[in-house]
Amino acid sequence: MAASGAVELGAAAATAAPSPAPAQAPAPRARPRGGGVGDPGSCFLLSQGTTRLLLTKVPFFREIIVSSFSCEHCGWNNTEIHSAGRIQDQGVRYALTVRTQEDMNREVVKTDSATTSIPELDFEIPAFTQKGALTTVEGLISRAISGLEQDQPTRRANEEAVAERIDEFIVRLKELKRVASPFTLIIDDPSGNSFVENPHAPQKDHALVITHYNRTVQQEEMLGLQAEAPEEKPEEEDLRNEVLQFNTNCPECNAPAQTNMKLVQIPHFKEVIIMATNCDSCGHRTNEVKSGGAVEPLGTRITFHITHPSDLTRDVLKSETCSVEIPELEFELGMAVLGGKFTTLEGLLKDIRELVTKNPFTLGDSSNPDQMEKLREFSQKLDQILEGNVKAHFIMNDPAGNSYLQNVYAPEDDPEMKVEHYKRTFDQNEELGLNDMKTEGYETGLAPQR
């Protein structure tokens, strides 16, 4: 048959019995499993009939309700099945290759939401055109044949050509019942409540392919289910464009103050967190830089040769774990002194000068004259470096690898700057607290709780 005829044939095969209104079966009453329930109903002649309901379990499947109506006045009867459970989480598709008469005797549970098709004949029974049925493969084909034959007298009178084509198709369906050649029966049920028997259960059935799938939105609507709206992911805040504020106390006067925090991406380096505290009571201001990443696998040593006043405008990130050395001044600044800073090279040198010259232990009447002279000489040489009159080397040594000095030639190498990466010593790891840090398998090392 052509594809255009498949839809018509499917609609014609919707019912194997005449087309009276189906009986409205009342809800099943509580009954022991396997027992029947008889209830009055009405046939299409409005005579009183009986509807029987049976709760039964299909082996290797699930529970179903078999509904059977019969009328003793006109002899009309009808049988339907309903799932005793809920709509499954996934749809199911059964593809059975029928080769022998034993395959024709397989039990089939077909719900009203299932689509039945035979690709070899281009034949399809659409969903919701037949009531659910508990039958066999042969019974499904017989039901389709009966549905096609019931309106043939009318077609022969009005559309003789269509009737002839349907007669030819009925002959092909009857040939399927004799299994003259293998064919494929496909039952596709979005509700997941249809079933085709596996006579070899619990072993695998090589003639039967079962596929479970996620329903589409159209299938959800067809089953009367409300499709779940996709979860809206909360918008992630871009902290790079935000300045966060939180309350704190001034480190000098302990008055309430605010600390501003901002995440900054340093080009050709990494992200850092800049924190600044301003106190309105005493005017104290602090700024501090925290690394936005973890401790690097290797330490970093940066050696920069200051040869021009423009070199002092380079950006510098000095972490809390970085020490500074100026060989020409015989000066070395230890770790944690001045804290973390993000400034320029000139700003860092000025902070060093202020730290040294305003040290309370080197000022006053009790200060050592020799020490005062050395301090004055150090300050003069540092001023000459700041003025660009003296060339000097500036060395940053950070075992954590979180310090940075701007390379104005990036991504090319800077001829005046040398960056070395080295393996930390045990003592350096000890200062960073890495020797006692265990990030893998730490659960096994925990002491038992008492």
Side-chain angles (χ1 to χ4, degrees):
M1 291 293 291
S4 59
V7 177
E8 180 182 354
L9 291 174
T15 56
S19 56
Q24 299 296 324
R29 297 192 293 261
R31 187 77 173 179
R33 184 170 303 170
V37 179
D39 290 308
S42 297
C43 73
F44 66 99
L45 295 179
L46 300 181
S47 299
Q48 291 295 321
T50 303
T51 298
R52 291 179 173 84
L53 303 176
L54 176 67
L55 178 65
T56 184
K57 181 174 177 61
V58 178
F60 302 101
F61 187 50
R62 57 176 63 92
E63 291 179 335
I64 60 172
I65 298 174
V66 181
S67 171
S68 175
F69 174 81
S70 60
C71 178
E72 60 183 8
H73 301 283
C74 65
W76 185 69
N77 57 72
N78 184 31
T79 302
E80 300 176 8
I81 69 106
H82 304 274
S83 174
R86 60 181 179 84
I87 294 178
Q88 304 304 308
D89 296 331
Q90 290 183 312
V92 65
R93 181 180 185 270
Y94 292 91
L96 173 65
T97 302
V98 180
R99 296 187 178 91
T100 64
Q101 194 63 42
E102 287 75 13
D103 292 331
M104 296 291 292
N105 295 330
R106 293 188 185 219
E107 286 189 349
V108 174
V109 175
K110 176 189 170 298
T111 67
D112 53 359
S113 61
T115 299
T116 305
S117 61
I118 301 176
E120 288 80 2
L121 300 186
D122 193 18
F123 176 70
E124 179 177 301
I125 304 175
F128 297 106
T129 58
Q130 283 185 342
K131 292 294 183 180
L134 172 61
T135 179
T136 62
V137 174
E138 183 178 4
L140 280 179
I141 298 176
S142 299
R143 192 177 184 188
I145 293 173
S146 300
L148 293 173
E149 288 179 337
Q150 67 177 359
D151 291 331
Q152 281 296 83
T154 304
R155 293 193 188 97
R156 291 189 181 95
N158 301 327
E159 299 176 295
E160 185 175 355
V162 175
E164 291 178 357
R165 292 176 59 196
I166 293 179
D167 283 336
E168 295 175 359
F169 192 80
I170 291 174
V171 172
R172 298 175 66 184
L173 284 175
K174 290 180 178 179
E175 290 178 355
L176 293 182
K177 294 176 63 176
R178 292 192 294 269
V179 198
S181 60
F183 66 92
T184 305
L185 175 70
I186 298 176
I187 297 180
D188 191 333
D189 187 0
S191 73
N193 286 324
S194 291
F195 171 75
V196 176
E197 179 190 8
N198 173 10
H200 310 290
Q203 281 78 28
K204 182 178 180 180
D205 188 348
H206 297 285
L208 182 63
V209 178
I210 305 174
T211 306
H212 296 273
Y213 60 88
N214 294 324
R215 287 184 288 268
T216 63
V217 176
Q218 292 77 12
Q219 289 172 328
E220 294 273 0
E221 294 176 351
M222 181 183 68
L223 295 173
L225 301 176
Q226 183 177 0
E228 295 183 359
E231 296 183 359
E232 296 183 358
K233 296 183 178 180
E235 296 183 359
E236 296 182 358
E237 297 183 3
D238 189 358
L239 299 180
R240 297 180 183 83
N241 300 325
E242 297 289 337
V243 178
L244 305 180
Q245 293 184 341
F246 55 91
N247 296 326
T248 184
N249 292 334
C250 174
E252 291 292 329
C253 66
N254 204 34
Q258 279 193 336
T259 296
N260 298 327
M261 183 175 70
K262 191 173 190 302
L263 185 65
V264 178
Q265 174 67 47
I266 298 179
H268 306 288
F269 188 53
K270 60 173 66 174
E271 289 181 338
V272 296
I273 300 173
I274 300 178
M275 305 176 67
T277 302
N278 298 325
C279 180
D280 296 333
S281 300
C282 65
H284 178 72
R285 295 183 178 183
T286 62
N287 66 81
E288 191 174 359
V289 175
K290 301 286 186 182
S291 173
V295 175
E296 296 295 320
L298 299 175
T300 302
R301 179 183 174 91
I302 302 174
T303 302
F304 178 61
H305 190 201
I306 303 174
T307 59
H308 193 271
S310 61
D311 292 337
L312 300 176
T313 62
R314 298 196 182 203
D315 290 336
V316 174
L317 171 64
K318 175 195 171 299
S319 73
E320 294 179 334
T321 58
C322 178
S323 61
V324 175
E325 183 180 353
I326 305 176
E328 287 77 6
L329 300 182
E330 298 182 357
F331 172 79
E332 183 175 351
L333 184 72
M335 291 172 53
V337 182
L338 290 179
K341 283 188 173 293
F342 181 52
T343 179
T344 61
L345 183 55
E346 180 181 8
L348 183 57
L349 292 177
K350 287 183 177 180
D351 288 339
I352 292 175
R353 182 181 60 183
E354 183 177 0
L355 175 68
V356 175
T357 57
K358 293 186 178 181
N359 191 333
F361 295 100
T362 60
L363 300 176
D365 297 337
S366 60
S367 59
N368 189 322
D370 293 337
Q371 193 175 29
M372 289 289 294
E373 182 62 27
K374 289 181 180 180
L375 187 59
R376 190 179 298 107
E377 183 180 352
F378 171 83
S379 180
Q380 290 175 354
K381 290 182 179 181
L382 188 55
D383 288 339
Q384 290 177 353
I385 295 175
L386 289 170
E387 293 169 2
N389 298 327
V390 175
K391 298 180 181 181
H393 289 82
F394 182 81
I395 301 174
M396 301 174 64
N397 188 2
D398 188 356
N402 288 326
S403 293
Y404 162 83
L405 178 60
Q406 182 185 12
N407 176 7
V408 294
Y409 297 93
E412 304 295 333
D413 293 335
D414 190 333
E416 302 297 338
M417 185 166 62
K418 180 180 179 182
V419 180
E420 303 171 88
H421 298 284
Y422 60 89
K423 186 176 181 180
R424 287 184 291 268
T425 64
F426 178 86
D427 293 337
Q428 288 174 326
N429 283 330
E430 188 71 20
E431 289 185 33
L432 296 175
L434 299 178
N435 290 333
D436 297 328
M437 188 179 295
K438 190 175 183 181
T439 59
E440 296 180 359
Y442 58 88
E443 297 91 344
T444 58
L446 294 176
Q449 297 182 355
R450 298 182 179 178

